[in-house]
């Protein structure tokens, strides 16, 4: 069996030729004529196939492959990983500085509170102890007083 599903070899088959039938438009409008440069018309090429058929058509220039861009010496993934590591180290350094700053600020505030407590406590102590020696009222100095039989004589 052959590729076209017939039982005859290609040399024994009859050749059918189909002629295209031109289609006429309903209203005959002349097509505009576009001037064509002689250099832009592609060349017509004919190819003879192994079974004797001739194929005629326009030659198509092979497409040129895009130039291959040179690969960088270091891959983008490696650069991204390295930059991520640098950023991580910068953040960690900043966090260490922030932690140190918070610890120093806490120590400073603790010292201020302690200083305020000592000063305020000292002021209160001075107020308490100075008031206990002086109760107010009239102070009487007794001199050369004598006591005889539970009677006071001056």
């Amino acid at each position: 069996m052959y590729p076209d599903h017939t039982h005859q070899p290609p040399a024994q088959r009859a050749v059918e030729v189909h002629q295209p039938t031109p289609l006429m438009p309903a209203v005959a409008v002349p097509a505009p004529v576009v001037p064509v440069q002689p250099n832009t018309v592609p060349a017509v090429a004919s190819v003879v196939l192994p079974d004797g058929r001739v194929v005629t058509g326009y030659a198509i220039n092979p497409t040129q492959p895009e130039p291959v861009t040179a690969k960088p010496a270091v891959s983008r993934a490696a650069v991204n990983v390295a930059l991520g590591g640098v950023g991580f180290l910068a953040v960690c350094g900043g966090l260490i500085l922030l932690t140190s700053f918070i610890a120093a600020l806490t120590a400073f505030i603790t010292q201020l509170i302690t200083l305020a407590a000592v000063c305020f406590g000292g002021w209160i102590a001075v107020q308490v102890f100075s008031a206990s020696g002086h109760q107010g009222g009239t102070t009487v100095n007794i001199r050369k007083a004598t006591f005889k039989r539970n009677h006071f004589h001056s």
Side-chain angles (χ1 to χ4, degrees):
M1 185 170 266
Y2 293 95
D4 59 355
H5 303 289
T6 61
H7 297 286
Q8 297 176 351
Q12 294 178 355
R13 276 184 266 152
V15 177
E16 293 182 16
V17 178
H18 297 281
Q19 295 294 329
T21 305
L23 297 174
M24 300 304 278
V27 178
V29 177
V33 178
V34 179
V36 178
Q37 297 292 333
N39 294 340
T40 61
V41 176
V44 177
S46 296
V47 177
V48 179
L49 298 176
D51 62 354
R53 291 182 292 164
V54 177
V55 178
T56 304
Y58 294 107
I60 299 174
N61 293 332
T63 57
Q64 298 293 330
E66 294 182 17
V68 178
T69 56
K71 285 190 174 182
V74 180
S75 70
R76 288 184 188 263
V79 171
N80 290 339
V81 168
L83 288 177
V86 169
F88 181 74
L89 288 177
V91 168
C92 287
L95 288 177
I96 289 173
L97 289 176
L98 182 64
T99 306
S100 300
F101 175 74
I102 291 172
L105 187 64
T106 304
F108 179 69
I109 291 172
T110 304
Q111 289 177 353
L112 285 180
I113 291 172
T114 304
L115 179 65
V118 167
C119 291
F120 187 67
W123 180 76
I124 290 177
V126 167
Q127 296 300 318
V128 168
F129 290 127
S130 66
S132 67
H134 183 58
Q135 302 257 340
T138 305
T139 302
V140 178
N141 293 322
I142 301 173
R143 293 181 185 160
K144 296 180 182 179
T146 57
F147 292 92
K148 290 183 180 180
R149 295 183 192 164
N150 296 328
H151 293 289
F152 178 71
H153 299 281
S154 56

